[in-house]
PDB file of all heavy atoms in Angstrom:
ATOM      1  N   HIS A  15     -37.140  27.853  45.222  1.00 97.00           N
ATOM      2  CA  HIS A  15     -37.809  26.718  45.864  1.00 97.00           C
ATOM      3  C   HIS A  15     -39.165  27.132  46.434  1.00 97.00           C
ATOM      4  O   HIS A  15     -40.179  26.442  46.244  1.00 97.00           O
ATOM      5  CB  HIS A  15     -36.922  26.156  46.959  1.00 97.00           C
ATOM      6  CG  HIS A  15     -37.631  25.184  47.867  1.00 97.00           C
ATOM      7  ND1 HIS A  15     -37.980  23.911  47.469  1.00 97.00           N
ATOM      8  CD2 HIS A  15     -38.094  25.311  49.143  1.00 97.00           C
ATOM      9  CE1 HIS A  15     -38.609  23.295  48.453  1.00 97.00           C
ATOM     10  NE2 HIS A  15     -38.695  24.121  49.474  1.00 97.00           N
ATOM     11  N   LEU A  16     -39.201  28.286  47.113  1.00 97.00           N
ATOM     12  CA  LEU A  16     -40.477  28.761  47.677  1.00 97.00           C
ATOM     13  C   LEU A  16     -41.502  29.045  46.591  1.00 97.00           C
ATOM     14  O   LEU A  16     -42.685  28.683  46.704  1.00 97.00           O
ATOM     15  CB  LEU A  16     -40.226  30.022  48.504  1.00 97.00           C
ATOM     16  CG  LEU A  16     -39.398  29.841  49.798  1.00 97.00           C
ATOM     17  CD1 LEU A  16     -39.128  31.192  50.433  1.00 97.00           C
ATOM     18  CD2 LEU A  16     -40.141  28.925  50.782  1.00 97.00           C
ATOM     19  N   TRP A  17     -41.060  29.666  45.503  1.00 97.00           N
ATOM     20  CA  TRP A  17     -41.970  29.987  44.394  1.00 97.00           C
ATOM     21  C   TRP A  17     -42.516  28.712  43.766  1.00 97.00           C
ATOM     22  O   TRP A  17     -43.722  28.595  43.503  1.00 97.00           O
ATOM     23  CB  TRP A  17     -41.238  30.816  43.345  1.00 97.00           C
ATOM     24  CG  TRP A  17     -42.117  31.165  42.181  1.00 97.00           C
ATOM     25  CD1 TRP A  17     -43.042  32.170  42.097  1.00 97.00           C
ATOM     26  CD2 TRP A  17     -42.187  30.453  40.933  1.00 97.00           C
ATOM     27  NE1 TRP A  17     -43.666  32.130  40.868  1.00 97.00           N
ATOM     28  CE2 TRP A  17     -43.164  31.096  40.133  1.00 97.00           C
ATOM     29  CE3 TRP A  17     -41.505  29.345  40.407  1.00 97.00           C
ATOM     30  CZ2 TRP A  17     -43.479  30.662  38.846  1.00 97.00           C
ATOM     31  CZ3 TRP A  17     -41.816  28.930  39.140  1.00 97.00           C
ATOM     32  CH2 TRP A  17     -42.798  29.581  38.359  1.00 97.00           C
ATOM     33  N   LYS A  18     -41.668  27.711  43.551  1.00 97.00           N
ATOM     34  CA  LYS A  18     -42.121  26.482  42.902  1.00 97.00           C
ATOM     35  C   LYS A  18     -43.023  25.667  43.831  1.00 97.00           C
ATOM     36  O   LYS A  18     -43.903  24.953  43.365  1.00 97.00           O
ATOM     37  CB  LYS A  18     -40.911  25.630  42.464  1.00 97.00           C
ATOM     38  CG  LYS A  18     -40.207  26.209  41.233  1.00 97.00           C
ATOM     39  CD  LYS A  18     -39.093  25.294  40.740  1.00 97.00           C
ATOM     40  CE  LYS A  18     -38.489  25.827  39.458  1.00 97.00           C
ATOM     41  NZ  LYS A  18     -37.384  24.966  38.965  1.00 97.00           N
ATOM     42  N   THR A  19     -42.817  25.796  45.132  1.00 97.00           N
ATOM     43  CA  THR A  19     -43.701  25.122  46.084  1.00 97.00           C
ATOM     44  C   THR A  19     -45.129  25.636  45.933  1.00 97.00           C
ATOM     45  O   THR A  19     -46.098  24.862  45.999  1.00 97.00           O
ATOM     46  CB  THR A  19     -43.218  25.344  47.524  1.00 97.00           C
ATOM     47  OG1 THR A  19     -41.881  24.814  47.660  1.00 97.00           O
ATOM     48  CG2 THR A  19     -44.121  24.644  48.532  1.00 97.00           C
ATOM     49  N   LEU A  20     -45.258  26.934  45.700  1.00 97.00           N
ATOM     50  CA  LEU A  20     -46.580  27.529  45.492  1.00 97.00           C
ATOM     51  C   LEU A  20     -47.099  27.234  44.094  1.00 97.00           C
ATOM     52  O   LEU A  20     -48.302  27.011  43.893  1.00 97.00           O
ATOM     53  CB  LEU A  20     -46.508  29.044  45.718  1.00 97.00           C
ATOM     54  CG  LEU A  20     -46.121  29.504  47.128  1.00 97.00           C
ATOM     55  CD1 LEU A  20     -45.931  31.021  47.153  1.00 97.00           C
ATOM     56  CD2 LEU A  20     -47.162  29.078  48.143  1.00 97.00           C
ATOM     57  N   ARG A  21     -46.202  27.223  43.119  1.00 97.00           N
ATOM     58  CA  ARG A  21     -46.598  27.052  41.719  1.00 97.00           C
ATOM     59  C   ARG A  21     -46.979  25.612  41.397  1.00 97.00           C
ATOM     60  O   ARG A  21     -47.874  25.360  40.574  1.00 97.00           O
ATOM     61  CB  ARG A  21     -45.436  27.502  40.817  1.00 97.00           C
ATOM     62  CG  ARG A  21     -45.671  27.341  39.317  1.00 97.00           C
ATOM     63  CD  ARG A  21     -46.681  28.333  38.803  1.00 97.00           C
ATOM     64  NE  ARG A  21     -46.843  28.219  37.380  1.00 97.00           N
ATOM     65  CZ  ARG A  21     -47.597  27.316  36.758  1.00 97.00           C
ATOM     66  NH1 ARG A  21     -48.263  26.436  37.469  1.00 97.00           N
ATOM     67  NH2 ARG A  21     -47.673  27.303  35.439  1.00 97.00           N
ATOM     68  N   TYR A  22     -46.327  24.626  42.035  1.00 97.00           N
ATOM     69  CA  TYR A  22     -46.538  23.222  41.719  1.00 97.00           C
ATOM     70  C   TYR A  22     -46.870  22.430  42.983  1.00 97.00           C
ATOM     71  O   TYR A  22     -46.096  21.537  43.375  1.00 97.00           O
ATOM     72  CB  TYR A  22     -45.290  22.625  41.052  1.00 97.00           C
ATOM     73  CG  TYR A  22     -44.834  23.345  39.815  1.00 97.00           C
ATOM     74  CD1 TYR A  22     -43.665  24.099  39.828  1.00 97.00           C
ATOM     75  CD2 TYR A  22     -45.562  23.274  38.636  1.00 97.00           C
ATOM     76  CE1 TYR A  22     -43.223  24.759  38.679  1.00 97.00           C
ATOM     77  CE2 TYR A  22     -45.144  23.932  37.491  1.00 97.00           C
ATOM     78  CZ  TYR A  22     -43.978  24.678  37.519  1.00 97.00           C
ATOM     79  OH  TYR A  22     -43.546  25.332  36.384  1.00 97.00           O
ATOM     80  N   PRO A  23     -47.992  22.707  43.609  1.00 96.00           N
ATOM     81  CA  PRO A  23     -48.326  21.993  44.849  1.00 96.00           C
ATOM     82  C   PRO A  23     -48.498  20.489  44.598  1.00 96.00           C
ATOM     83  O   PRO A  23     -49.150  20.083  43.629  1.00 96.00           O
ATOM     84  CB  PRO A  23     -49.648  22.630  45.295  1.00 96.00           C
ATOM     85  CG  PRO A  23     -50.219  23.228  44.052  1.00 96.00           C
ATOM     86  CD  PRO A  23     -49.047  23.684  43.243  1.00 96.00           C
ATOM     87  N   GLY A  24     -47.857  19.690  45.430  1.00 95.00           N
ATOM     88  CA  GLY A  24     -47.990  18.238  45.313  1.00 95.00           C
ATOM     89  C   GLY A  24     -47.165  17.606  44.219  1.00 95.00           C
ATOM     90  O   GLY A  24     -47.244  16.401  43.998  1.00 95.00           O
ATOM     91  N   ARG A  25     -46.351  18.388  43.513  1.00 96.00           N
ATOM     92  CA  ARG A  25     -45.521  17.838  42.438  1.00 96.00           C
ATOM     93  C   ARG A  25     -44.042  17.984  42.787  1.00 96.00           C
ATOM     94  O   ARG A  25     -43.668  18.814  43.612  1.00 96.00           O
ATOM     95  CB  ARG A  25     -45.804  18.562  41.106  1.00 96.00           C
ATOM     96  CG  ARG A  25     -47.271  18.440  40.664  1.00 96.00           C
ATOM     97  CD  ARG A  25     -47.483  19.145  39.338  1.00 96.00           C
ATOM     98  NE  ARG A  25     -46.773  18.464  38.258  1.00 96.00           N
ATOM     99  CZ  ARG A  25     -46.616  19.006  37.045  1.00 96.00           C
ATOM    100  NH1 ARG A  25     -47.115  20.206  36.765  1.00 96.00           N
ATOM    101  NH2 ARG A  25     -45.972  18.327  36.104  1.00 96.00           N
ATOM    102  N   THR A  26     -43.205  17.171  42.179  1.00 97.00           N
ATOM    103  CA  THR A  26     -41.767  17.206  42.455  1.00 97.00           C
ATOM    104  C   THR A  26     -41.047  18.041  41.397  1.00 97.00           C
ATOM    105  O   THR A  26     -41.343  17.919  40.206  1.00 97.00           O
ATOM    106  CB  THR A  26     -41.166  15.810  42.511  1.00 97.00           C
ATOM    107  OG1 THR A  26     -41.432  15.134  41.261  1.00 97.00           O
ATOM    108  CG2 THR A  26     -41.764  15.008  43.663  1.00 97.00           C
ATOM    109  N   PHE A  27     -40.124  18.884  41.844  1.00 96.00           N
ATOM    110  CA  PHE A  27     -39.363  19.739  40.942  1.00 96.00           C
ATOM    111  C   PHE A  27     -37.903  19.730  41.382  1.00 96.00           C
ATOM    112  O   PHE A  27     -37.566  19.235  42.466  1.00 96.00           O
ATOM    113  CB  PHE A  27     -39.925  21.148  40.889  1.00 96.00           C
ATOM    114  CG  PHE A  27     -40.244  21.726  42.246  1.00 96.00           C
ATOM    115  CD1 PHE A  27     -39.270  22.346  43.021  1.00 96.00           C
ATOM    116  CD2 PHE A  27     -41.536  21.643  42.761  1.00 96.00           C
ATOM    117  CE1 PHE A  27     -39.553  22.850  44.276  1.00 96.00           C
ATOM    118  CE2 PHE A  27     -41.842  22.163  44.015  1.00 96.00           C
ATOM    119  CZ  PHE A  27     -40.847  22.780  44.777  1.00 96.00           C
ATOM    120  N   SER A  28     -37.018  20.295  40.551  1.00 96.00           N
ATOM    121  CA  SER A  28     -35.593  20.132  40.775  1.00 96.00           C
ATOM    122  C   SER A  28     -35.047  21.014  41.902  1.00 96.00           C
ATOM    123  O   SER A  28     -34.046  20.652  42.533  1.00 96.00           O
ATOM    124  CB  SER A  28     -34.809  20.427  39.482  1.00 96.00           C
ATOM    125  OG  SER A  28     -34.999  21.766  39.080  1.00 96.00           O
ATOM    126  N   THR A  29     -35.658  22.164  42.147  1.00 97.00           N
ATOM    127  CA  THR A  29     -35.080  23.109  43.102  1.00 97.00           C
ATOM    128  C   THR A  29     -35.523  22.801  44.514  1.00 97.00           C
ATOM    129  O   THR A  29     -36.519  23.332  45.023  1.00 97.00           O
ATOM    130  CB  THR A  29     -35.476  24.552  42.715  1.00 97.00           C
ATOM    131  OG1 THR A  29     -35.270  24.759  41.331  1.00 97.00           O
ATOM    132  CG2 THR A  29     -34.650  25.562  43.499  1.00 97.00           C
ATOM    133  N   VAL A  30     -34.775  21.916  45.161  1.00 98.00           N
ATOM    134  CA  VAL A  30     -35.005  21.546  46.555  1.00 98.00           C
ATOM    135  C   VAL A  30     -33.664  21.594  47.275  1.00 98.00           C
ATOM    136  O   VAL A  30     -32.605  21.791  46.654  1.00 98.00           O
ATOM    137  CB  VAL A  30     -35.643  20.153  46.686  1.00 98.00           C
ATOM    138  CG1 VAL A  30     -37.034  20.125  46.081  1.00 98.00           C
ATOM    139  CG2 VAL A  30     -34.762  19.090  46.027  1.00 98.00           C
ATOM    140  N   SER A  31     -33.669  21.415  48.581  1.00 98.00           N
ATOM    141  CA  SER A  31     -32.413  21.482  49.345  1.00 98.00           C
ATOM    142  C   SER A  31     -31.462  20.400  48.872  1.00 98.00           C
ATOM    143  O   SER A  31     -31.885  19.337  48.389  1.00 98.00           O
ATOM    144  CB  SER A  31     -32.712  21.308  50.835  1.00 98.00           C
ATOM    145  OG  SER A  31     -33.070  19.963  51.107  1.00 98.00           O
ATOM    146  N   PRO A  32     -30.135  20.622  48.998  1.00 98.00           N
ATOM    147  CA  PRO A  32     -29.171  19.595  48.590  1.00 98.00           C
ATOM    148  C   PRO A  32     -29.391  18.241  49.256  1.00 98.00           C
ATOM    149  O   PRO A  32     -29.198  17.199  48.623  1.00 98.00           O
ATOM    150  CB  PRO A  32     -27.838  20.215  48.975  1.00 98.00           C
ATOM    151  CG  PRO A  32     -28.075  21.697  48.859  1.00 98.00           C
ATOM    152  CD  PRO A  32     -29.471  21.894  49.349  1.00 98.00           C
ATOM    153  N   ALA A  33     -29.806  18.239  50.534  1.00 98.00           N
ATOM    154  CA  ALA A  33     -30.033  16.969  51.215  1.00 98.00           C
ATOM    155  C   ALA A  33     -31.195  16.222  50.584  1.00 98.00           C
ATOM    156  O   ALA A  33     -31.118  15.008  50.337  1.00 98.00           O
ATOM    157  CB  ALA A  33     -30.305  17.225  52.695  1.00 98.00           C
ATOM    158  N   ARG A  34     -32.279  16.936  50.317  1.00 98.00           N
ATOM    159  CA  ARG A  34     -33.442  16.309  49.701  1.00 98.00           C
ATOM    160  C   ARG A  34     -33.150  15.884  48.269  1.00 98.00           C
ATOM    161  O   ARG A  34     -33.581  14.812  47.825  1.00 98.00           O
ATOM    162  CB  ARG A  34     -34.625  17.273  49.742  1.00 98.00           C
ATOM    163  CG  ARG A  34     -35.933  16.666  49.244  1.00 98.00           C
ATOM    164  CD  ARG A  34     -37.061  17.637  49.404  1.00 98.00           C
ATOM    165  NE  ARG A  34     -38.301  17.143  48.836  1.00 98.00           N
ATOM    166  CZ  ARG A  34     -39.415  17.862  48.720  1.00 98.00           C
ATOM    167  NH1 ARG A  34     -39.463  19.101  49.177  1.00 98.00           N
ATOM    168  NH2 ARG A  34     -40.509  17.339  48.176  1.00 98.00           N
ATOM    169  N   TYR A  35     -32.403  16.706  47.557  1.00 98.00           N
ATOM    170  CA  TYR A  35     -32.068  16.399  46.155  1.00 98.00           C
ATOM    171  C   TYR A  35     -31.248  15.094  46.107  1.00 98.00           C
ATOM    172  O   TYR A  35     -31.523  14.207  45.290  1.00 98.00           O
ATOM    173  CB  TYR A  35     -31.264  17.554  45.553  1.00 98.00           C
ATOM    174  CG  TYR A  35     -31.200  17.485  44.048  1.00 98.00           C
ATOM    175  CD1 TYR A  35     -32.077  18.219  43.271  1.00 98.00           C
ATOM    176  CD2 TYR A  35     -30.239  16.712  43.410  1.00 98.00           C
ATOM    177  CE1 TYR A  35     -32.025  18.156  41.879  1.00 98.00           C
ATOM    178  CE2 TYR A  35     -30.178  16.625  42.035  1.00 98.00           C
ATOM    179  CZ  TYR A  35     -31.071  17.367  41.278  1.00 98.00           C
ATOM    180  OH  TYR A  35     -31.028  17.288  39.896  1.00 98.00           O
ATOM    181  N   ALA A  36     -30.227  14.992  46.979  1.00 98.00           N
ATOM    182  CA  ALA A  36     -29.383  13.808  46.983  1.00 98.00           C
ATOM    183  C   ALA A  36     -30.175  12.558  47.334  1.00 98.00           C
ATOM    184  O   ALA A  36     -30.032  11.508  46.690  1.00 98.00           O
ATOM    185  CB  ALA A  36     -28.246  13.996  47.989  1.00 98.00           C
ATOM    186  N   ARG A  37     -31.029  12.671  48.347  1.00 98.00           N
ATOM    187  CA  ARG A  37     -31.824  11.512  48.780  1.00 98.00           C
ATOM    188  C   ARG A  37     -32.774  11.073  47.668  1.00 98.00           C
ATOM    189  O   ARG A  37     -32.922   9.882  47.395  1.00 98.00           O
ATOM    190  CB  ARG A  37     -32.606  11.882  50.041  1.00 98.00           C
ATOM    191  CG  ARG A  37     -33.462  10.727  50.597  1.00 98.00           C
ATOM    192  CD  ARG A  37     -34.039  11.114  51.949  1.00 98.00           C
ATOM    193  NE  ARG A  37     -34.912  12.273  51.889  1.00 98.00           N
ATOM    194  CZ  ARG A  37     -34.601  13.479  52.354  1.00 98.00           C
ATOM    195  NH1 ARG A  37     -33.421  13.697  52.918  1.00 98.00           N
ATOM    196  NH2 ARG A  37     -35.458  14.488  52.265  1.00 98.00           N
ATOM    197  N   ARG A  38     -33.397  12.020  46.997  1.00 98.00           N
ATOM    198  CA  ARG A  38     -34.395  11.719  45.967  1.00 98.00           C
ATOM    199  C   ARG A  38     -33.742  11.044  44.744  1.00 98.00           C
ATOM    200  O   ARG A  38     -34.294  10.087  44.179  1.00 98.00           O
ATOM    201  CB  ARG A  38     -35.115  13.004  45.549  1.00 98.00           C
ATOM    202  CG  ARG A  38     -36.325  12.775  44.682  1.00 98.00           C
ATOM    203  CD  ARG A  38     -37.079  14.075  44.479  1.00 98.00           C
ATOM    204  NE  ARG A  38     -36.277  15.055  43.772  1.00 98.00           N
ATOM    205  CZ  ARG A  38     -36.650  16.329  43.599  1.00 98.00           C
ATOM    206  NH1 ARG A  38     -37.770  16.771  44.115  1.00 98.00           N
ATOM    207  NH2 ARG A  38     -35.883  17.144  42.916  1.00 98.00           N
ATOM    208  N   LEU A  39     -32.554  11.522  44.343  1.00 98.00           N
ATOM    209  CA  LEU A  39     -31.904  10.915  43.187  1.00 98.00           C
ATOM    210  C   LEU A  39     -31.422   9.504  43.526  1.00 98.00           C
ATOM    211  O   LEU A  39     -31.523   8.581  42.684  1.00 98.00           O
ATOM    212  CB  LEU A  39     -30.728  11.784  42.718  1.00 98.00           C
ATOM    213  CG  LEU A  39     -30.105  11.391  41.380  1.00 98.00           C
ATOM    214  CD1 LEU A  39     -31.144  11.370  40.262  1.00 98.00           C
ATOM    215  CD2 LEU A  39     -28.941  12.305  41.018  1.00 98.00           C
ATOM    216  N   TYR A  40     -30.924   9.311  44.728  1.00 98.00           N
ATOM    217  CA  TYR A  40     -30.554   7.950  45.165  1.00 98.00           C
ATOM    218  C   TYR A  40     -31.781   7.043  45.123  1.00 98.00           C
ATOM    219  O   TYR A  40     -31.700   5.903  44.645  1.00 98.00           O
ATOM    220  CB  TYR A  40     -29.974   7.987  46.560  1.00 98.00           C
ATOM    221  CG  TYR A  40     -29.724   6.601  47.128  1.00 98.00           C
ATOM    222  CD1 TYR A  40     -28.526   5.922  46.878  1.00 98.00           C
ATOM    223  CD2 TYR A  40     -30.697   5.946  47.892  1.00 98.00           C
ATOM    224  CE1 TYR A  40     -28.315   4.642  47.361  1.00 98.00           C
ATOM    225  CE2 TYR A  40     -30.487   4.665  48.369  1.00 98.00           C
ATOM    226  CZ  TYR A  40     -29.288   4.014  48.112  1.00 98.00           C
ATOM    227  OH  TYR A  40     -29.086   2.742  48.595  1.00 98.00           O
ATOM    228  N   GLN A  41     -32.918   7.517  45.609  1.00 98.00           N
ATOM    229  CA  GLN A  41     -34.125   6.703  45.630  1.00 98.00           C
ATOM    230  C   GLN A  41     -34.604   6.387  44.222  1.00 98.00           C
ATOM    231  O   GLN A  41     -35.158   5.315  43.975  1.00 98.00           O
ATOM    232  CB  GLN A  41     -35.211   7.424  46.415  1.00 98.00           C
ATOM    233  CG  GLN A  41     -34.947   7.478  47.930  1.00 98.00           C
ATOM    234  CD  GLN A  41     -35.898   8.377  48.681  1.00 98.00           C
ATOM    235  OE1 GLN A  41     -36.596   9.221  48.082  1.00 98.00           O
ATOM    236  NE2 GLN A  41     -35.968   8.204  49.996  1.00 98.00           N
ATOM    237  N   TRP A  42     -34.386   7.305  43.286  1.00 98.00           N
ATOM    238  CA  TRP A  42     -34.741   7.041  41.888  1.00 98.00           C
ATOM    239  C   TRP A  42     -33.933   5.858  41.360  1.00 98.00           C
ATOM    240  O   TRP A  42     -34.479   4.937  40.720  1.00 98.00           O
ATOM    241  CB  TRP A  42     -34.491   8.288  41.017  1.00 98.00           C
ATOM    242  CG  TRP A  42     -34.971   8.100  39.610  1.00 98.00           C
ATOM    243  CD1 TRP A  42     -36.151   8.492  39.080  1.00 98.00           C
ATOM    244  CD2 TRP A  42     -34.262   7.434  38.532  1.00 98.00           C
ATOM    245  NE1 TRP A  42     -36.258   8.118  37.752  1.00 98.00           N
ATOM    246  CE2 TRP A  42     -35.105   7.470  37.401  1.00 98.00           C
ATOM    247  CE3 TRP A  42     -33.032   6.818  38.416  1.00 98.00           C
ATOM    248  CZ2 TRP A  42     -34.745   6.924  36.175  1.00 98.00           C
ATOM    249  CZ3 TRP A  42     -32.658   6.264  37.200  1.00 98.00           C
ATOM    250  CH2 TRP A  42     -33.511   6.326  36.093  1.00 98.00           C
ATOM    251  N   VAL A  43     -32.625   5.846  41.619  1.00 98.00           N
ATOM    252  CA  VAL A  43     -31.774   4.748  41.172  1.00 98.00           C
ATOM    253  C   VAL A  43     -32.200   3.442  41.841  1.00 98.00           C
ATOM    254  O   VAL A  43     -32.301   2.385  41.180  1.00 98.00           O
ATOM    255  CB  VAL A  43     -30.285   5.051  41.451  1.00 98.00           C
ATOM    256  CG1 VAL A  43     -29.427   3.841  41.102  1.00 98.00           C
ATOM    257  CG2 VAL A  43     -29.843   6.273  40.648  1.00 98.00           C
TER     258      VAL A  43
END
């Protein structure tokens, strides 16, 4: 997660905390 935060600033990627992941997928639906 830390590496991707640096590698993809301002973009969304899959490796985030479980709480954020769950919230984001719900919001997608």
